[in-house]
Amino acid sequence: MADMPTPRLAANEFQQRLLAWFDRYGRHDLPWQSPRSAYRVWVSEIMLQQTQVATVIGYFERFMARFPTLESLAKAPQDEVLHLWTGLGYYARARNLHKAAQVAWEEHNGELPTKSIDALVALPGIGRSTAGAIVAQSTGQRAAILDGNVKRSLTRLHALPGWPGKPDVERKLWALAEYYTPAERLADYTQAMMDFGATLCKRSKPDCLSCPFNDVCLAYAQGEPKRYPESKPKKALPTRQTIMLMLRDPQGRVWLEQRPPSGLWGGLWSLPQFDSHSELNDWLEVNAVNPKRDTTSPSFYHTFSHFRLEITPQPVSCDRLGGVRESGVWYDVNYPPELGLAAPVKALLSQLTPFSLNPTPGHA
DNA sequence: AAGCCGGGGGA
DNA sequence: TCCCCAGGCTT
């Protein structure tokens, strides 16, 4: 590897120290560790992309209760998969997971192709690092990972400058990650690298005094381990505005429409959205019978990684839908269907008074 | 190479 | 508030 920085330890010495640390301080009771299967490891790795362990555990348990096997996932309707993903974010992960299960079911004899990194990477939603994690943890074959934890630990150990999102920095990190990866105890080593970054070499407050590498860590020697990794160049968040129509029928049900299959909130069910009140009025004129607008609810913000959305809910009641209406569902808050919902939509629906059961609601 | 894609937890 | 997390896909 011409691109690799000088390692701070011989690979076998690094492995020995890390595994000794892991045996004492690592996490050995995560839900996907027992029973361990390629399917369970895979689902956990997808959920854990950009999502912390504490958040994932509950979702993982619910997901496994509903989809205990790859077959059950492959044969499930997408709405049910997205329903189990509601609130977890990055919904393309769920769509890709579902699609990959169907591909594996039909083209790989009903199981994940864990013999080959390349075959895994060919499946939607699985990149090089996730493929490495699946192979290492489910088969014990030698495979490296490079997730956020490993990037942080290795940039510190080597005082590696530059934002890890840059390709040249990432190449160096992959070279180091491959170099340190052992030939034995792959499942433990992989879990150890993640645990080390998540619980000791943390983004803030790294526990350097307890670190088994503090004698060779260049960032520690420089006195500023938190300086690594360098942070992503930041940009100002643009703000967008939207009006969300909360159209209710005489039974109190709410009209929802499914979003396009890809893009923001892809495949999720959401309230009809409009850029202006005049566009909303046009929609009501065409689609609703005897619409009665209520006073606009207070606006609130929902923040994404790349913009901020100001949401103004507009309650409207109507007798029924008319005209050429778009496809959608009347969502009954008393008997909620199992659909994927965008987080702010779920929040709005959960606030609703189920007035079909409560004809004279009190006022707040 | 850069942008897109969520939501939450920690400080 | 601000940062970024067990990343991958699209352009």
Side-chain angles (χ1 to χ4, degrees), chain A residues 125 194 212 262 265 362:
Chain A
M194 299 193 265
S262 65
W265 292 333

Side-chain angles (χ1 to χ4, degrees), chain A residues 43 45-52 55-56 59 63 78 81-82 84-98 124-125 232 261-268 302-307 341-344:
Chain A
V43 172
E45 289 298 330
I46 301 301
M47 286 188 171
L48 286 160
Q49 289 171 0
Q50 304 296 296
T51 310
Q52 296 182 349
T55 302
V56 163
Y59 284 89
F63 198 92
Q78 189 190 66
V81 180
L82 288 173
L84 272 293
W85 214 271
T86 292
L88 202 52
Y90 282 111
Y91 299 95
R93 294 184 295 173
R95 299 193 303 270
N96 287 333
L97 182 73
H98 189 214
K232 173 184 179 141
S262 65
L264 185 68
W265 292 333
L268 300 186
H302 184 76
T303 304
F304 297 88
S305 50
H306 49 308
F307 68 95
L341 298 172

Side-chain angles (χ1 to χ4, degrees), chain A residues 211-232:
Chain A
C211 178
F213 303 109
N214 58 15
D215 60 326
V216 292
C217 179
L218 283 181
Y220 183 60
Q222 292 176 358
E224 276 192 289
K226 281 165 61 182
R227 194 181 137 199
Y228 301 92
E230 288 184 17
S231 54
K232 173 184 179 141

